[in-house]
Amino acid sequence: MLRAFVEVDRATMGPERLAAKLGHYARLHSHAPTPVARQRQQPFPEPAQETWRQRYPLFPRLLFILDSTGPTGVENRIHALRTAARDVSLAGFLREVPVLVAPMTDLLQHRPAAPIWRPVHDPDHRVDWMHTRHP
């Protein structure tokens, strides 16, 4: 079963702020709550599990839909996402979670299942949203 977090960007924030969302999703991916201290500790406590695992068998892929800018604005935003994806601290997250980008105009014209999605690590390549190959 495929699931996705969908970010619809209507250009209400700058490209850098949009790109910073990759870091927010990476933190969500790795977040495990700190266990509450108990009076009687177990000799081998179970490791804390990431919060998202309570709802999803796999972390949902991340889809960015870009709208409200022309082609140049779309390319600027894709460039900002690609630059953010080069951050070493995101490497583990990006190996496990597909992150794809598509302009709203392409979605409306070709439909979401078409190979219109651009992986943030290789925006010159086009894939469908079910794409799972990682960098």
Side-chain angles (χ1 to χ4, degrees):
M1 181 182 294
L2 292 175
R3 294 188 172 131
F5 289 124
V6 178
E7 283 282 341
V8 178
D9 172 50
R10 299 194 187 279
T12 58
M13 62 182 75
E16 297 80 17
R17 196 162 152 214
L18 172 69
K21 289 187 176 194
L22 284 177
H24 300 303
Y25 280 100
R27 281 192 294 285
L28 175 63
H29 181 261
S30 64
H31 178 264
T34 306
V36 177
R38 297 182 183 148
Q39 290 182 357
R40 192 171 187 193
Q41 286 287 358
Q42 299 173 356
F44 300 103
E46 293 184 28
Q49 188 178 51
E50 293 91 349
T51 306
W52 61 266
R53 291 188 190 275
Q54 297 169 3
R55 297 210 160 131
Y56 306 106
L58 294 172
F59 195 85
R61 62 198 56 235
L62 182 53
L63 306 176
F64 284 92
I65 301 171
L66 307 178
D67 195 18
S68 300
T69 65
T72 302
V74 166
E75 291 305 318
N76 287 340
R77 298 175 105 59
I78 291 172
H79 177 73
L81 286 165
R82 182 178 187 191
T83 300
R86 291 180 181 152
D87 186 332
V88 175
S89 67
L90 299 178
F93 170 70
L94 294 172
R95 264 192 306 275
E96 292 184 36
V97 179
V99 179
L100 307 171
V101 183
M104 180 69 82
T105 54
D106 289 353
L107 281 169
L108 295 173
Q109 185 177 3
H110 302 287
R111 302 291 183 208
I116 57 169
W117 297 92
R118 299 165 71 172
V120 294
H121 65 278
D122 184 12
D124 294 330
H125 190 69
R126 301 291 193 279
V127 298
D128 62 50
W129 82 277
M130 297 173 275
H131 177 74
T132 58
R133 189 168 157 250
H134 299 294

